[in-house]
Amino acid sequence: MRAAGINRTEAVIRTGALADMFPSTFPSGQGSDLAGVIEEIGAGVGPRSSARRAGASTSG
């Protein structure tokens, strides 16, 4: 992983604007977006996947 960030929804949650739906106490688990470079791949994965940039969100 080379970078992690807070997405727009997480930023609004931090303001307390969505407290009825997403109550937040601090420290909370925000910062679910990440980016990096794939360094290794497992068996059965195409050879073009290695050394590629990738991004993900762990929030579902």
Side-chain angles (χ1 to χ4, degrees):
M1 181 171 60
R2 290 190 178 177
I6 295 174
N7 64 38
R8 177 176 278 178
T9 303
E10 292 168 335
V12 174
I13 290 169
R14 287 181 63 85
T15 69
L18 299 176
D20 291 339
M21 294 183 343
F22 301 104
S24 185
T25 57
F26 295 97
S28 63
Q30 293 146 353
S32 61
D33 294 346
L34 56 104
V37 175
I38 300 170
E39 293 181 359
E40 293 183 52
I41 55 174
V45 179
R48 297 175 72 188
S49 296
S50 185
R52 293 186 73 161
R53 291 181 291 179
S57 177
T58 62
S59 61

